[in-house]
């Protein structure tokens, strides 16, 4: 089973991104993000396999060591060769790269199980808006996103682990200084 380690946002930012997901779902182009059990997030790592109990312990400890921090989504980006993924790109802060590095160091025992695109020096942090979008449909999706686009300020408040396909939430840990997740 594959597992993703994600950073989660404050409620207002999450709702703002979910509204974008819903407007894109109306286009019926690509995978419907609002139709999944997913939440807006930034993925720090994906592993083909993990010791789930140990990983949850590590995430709990890591969350206590990392203070909540702010990011701003200022840009829209595209991975055209990777299933037509359209995403928001955050400003690239030391806090973001520090938590990414700390996670990979803490889960070093599973490094070989990690997906390459999420490893240090390769990772492109992003929040997915649309997936599996045919290349010819990307301009339509971008047009919908850019129609009312404004930067989105987010507070990174927690780190969590989910199983993939289907998404199942297996643990969420508030970062120090953050309110507990609902």
């Amino acid at each position: 089973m594959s597992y993703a380690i994600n950073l989660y946002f404050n409620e207002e930012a999450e709702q703002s991104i979910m509204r974008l997901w819903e407007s894109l779902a109306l286009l019926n182009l690509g995978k419907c993000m609002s139709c999944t059990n997913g939440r807006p997030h930034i993925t720090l790592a994906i592993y083909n396999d993990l010791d789930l109990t140990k990983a949850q312990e590590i995430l709990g400890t890591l969350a206590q060591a990392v203070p909540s921090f702010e990011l701003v989504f200022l840009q829209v980006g595209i991975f055209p060769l990777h299933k037509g993924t359209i995403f928001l790109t955050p400003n690239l802060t030391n806090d973001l790269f520090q938590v990414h590095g700390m996670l990979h160091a803490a889960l070093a025992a599973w490094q070989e199980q990690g997906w390459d695109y999420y490893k240090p020096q390769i990772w492109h942090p992003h929040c997915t808006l649309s997936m599996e979008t045919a290349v010819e449909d990307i301009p339509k999706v971008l047009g919908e996103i850019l129609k009312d686009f404004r930067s989105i300020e987010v507070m990174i408040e927690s780190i969590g682990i989910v199983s993939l396909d289907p998404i199942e939430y297996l643990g969420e840990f508030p970062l120090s200084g953050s309110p507990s997740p609902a």
Side-chain angles (χ1 to χ4, degrees), residues 7-151:
L7 292 175
Y8 295 108
F9 316 140
N10 59 302
E11 180 71 22
E12 183 179 341
E14 193 170 285
Q15 291 302 315
S16 182
I17 294 166
M18 290 179 96
R19 283 190 296 276
L20 258 173
W21 282 1
E22 290 165 6
S23 73
L24 295 177
L26 296 174
L27 296 177
N28 200 27
L29 301 172
K31 184 175 183 178
C32 174
M33 299 301 294
S34 62
C35 300
T36 69
N37 189 30
R39 293 171 52 194
H41 62 274
I42 294 174
T43 299
L44 295 172
I46 298 178
Y47 295 91
N48 289 324
D49 193 25
L50 279 176
D51 175 332
L52 184 57
T53 302
K54 185 68 175 161
Q56 290 170 323
E57 290 173 17
I58 289 169
L59 290 180
T61 300
L62 179 68
Q64 292 173 9
V66 175
S68 56
F69 59 96
E70 292 181 45
L71 293 175
V72 181
F73 289 115
L74 298 166
Q75 303 175 56
V76 177
I78 305 168
F79 295 134
L81 301 176
H82 301 287
K83 297 186 179 181
T85 300
I86 302 170
F87 53 88
L88 295 172
T89 301
N91 57 324
L92 304 176
T93 66
N94 288 335
D95 290 331
L96 182 59
F97 284 103
Q98 183 175 4
V99 71
H100 183 255
M102 290 170 70
L103 173 77
H104 282 271
L107 295 176
W110 294 279
Q111 179 179 345
E112 293 302 315
Q113 296 292 325
W115 292 18
D116 288 340
Y117 293 122
Y118 296 93
K119 291 182 179 177
Q121 308 303 317
I122 301 171
W123 182 54
H124 292 273
H126 63 280
C127 176
T128 302
L129 296 178
S130 177
M131 291 176 59
E132 300 175 18
T133 308
V135 173
E136 62 271 13
D137 292 332
I138 288 174
K140 294 175 200 163
V141 175
L142 285 173
E144 180 65 24
I145 293 167
L146 297 175
K147 193 166 55 176
D148 296 312
F149 185 78
R150 287 173 182 53
S151 62

